[in-house]
Amino acid sequence: MRLAPIERDDLNDEQRTVLEAIERGPRGKGRPGIGMIGPFGAWVRAPSVGQAIQGAGAAIRFNTSLAPNVQEVAICTVGVHHRSHFEFSAHRALAIKAGVSEQALDQLTAGEHPDFSGDEQLSHSIASQMLNQHRILDDTYAHGLEVFGETALIELVATVGYYCLISLTLNAFEIPLEPGMRDPFPETNDQSLRN
């Protein structure tokens, strides 16, 4: 972890406002302390951007028309692409809860072609193309528009972008896994990332 440990009592008023927004919002339900872990623990330290990011994130994570399994496949695709230990570990559990196949998620983690079903495969294709080709290919875009509709397709693109920000934040500051999280990339050590 590159950021020095910080306690709630160390936060100034602006930082505390961001923390309270995170913990009183949809992320905080039944999860005390969520505002000090993962990317949130970084963002509370920079309240002007932290407040904007957490607000956008709450909308993207909790207020889209995307089916939970479709959204989680896109998020997991981003997490694997960036090899973000924390992000993928957290969202793998949420993906399984949303009905995504554990086997397909394991294939994704291993760098194999994942055997997602139906709309999940389309979500993975859209996310993968955005990450690897920096755009959505015409045929995939047309299929996404037909299946998801314009609003949900925009939401899916926003989801991929937001979770890139999260993954990069986690990686840049080397945010460690929380107790009970399973490391999806145990072969990757922090020293190899610095060379």
Side-chain angles (χ1 to χ4, degrees):
M1 170 110 168
R2 290 179 164 167
L3 298 171
I6 189 171
E7 299 296 327
R8 299 168 91 81
D9 293 341
D10 298 329
L11 301 177
N12 64 35
D13 289 343
E14 289 178 319
Q15 293 169 329
R16 199 168 287 111
T17 298
V18 177
L19 177 66
E20 289 171 0
I22 293 165
E23 294 188 339
R24 288 184 182 157
R27 292 181 192 93
K29 292 181 181 168
R31 299 176 70 192
I34 187 75
M36 294 295 286
I37 66 169
F40 312 120
W43 294 335
V44 297
R45 298 164 193 250
S48 61
V49 296
Q51 188 69 281
I53 293 169
Q54 78 80 24
I60 289 167
R61 173 83 168 76
F62 298 101
N63 293 317
T64 71
S65 59
L66 295 168
N69 63 323
V70 168
Q71 185 178 47
E72 292 300 334
V73 164
I75 294 167
C76 287
T77 300
V78 171
V80 167
H81 176 82
H82 289 292
R83 305 210 48 91
S84 180
H85 300 252
F86 189 107
E87 191 54 38
F88 185 80
S89 181
H91 280 274
R92 181 183 191 277
L94 294 170
I96 292 168
K97 186 176 178 181
V100 178
S101 158
E102 286 187 61
Q103 178 182 344
L105 292 167
D106 291 342
Q107 291 167 332
L108 178 66
T109 308
E112 301 168 7
H113 181 74
D115 188 23
F116 291 122
S117 60
D119 294 352
E120 294 173 4
Q121 184 58 50
L122 179 57
S123 175
H124 173 67
S125 294
I126 289 169
S128 293
Q129 288 175 16
M130 290 176 61
L131 294 164
N132 296 304
Q133 288 137 347
H134 314 295
R135 60 191 36 83
I136 303 170
L137 301 178
D138 289 345
D139 289 348
T140 307
Y141 180 84
H143 190 204
L145 194 60
E146 177 186 344
V147 170
F148 298 132
E150 184 177 74
T151 298
L153 189 54
I154 292 168
E155 293 168 343
L156 184 57
V157 169
T159 298
V160 171
Y162 174 70
Y163 282 92
C164 283
L165 173 60
I166 287 184
S167 294
L168 292 172
T169 298
L170 292 164
N171 288 353
F173 298 109
E174 297 178 358
I175 307 293
L177 296 174
E178 289 294 306
M181 293 178 103
R182 181 178 127 193
D183 190 346
F185 314 113
E187 73 285 355
T188 304
N189 63 46
D190 293 338
Q191 187 62 38
S192 70
L193 296 173
R194 293 187 187 120
N195 295 328

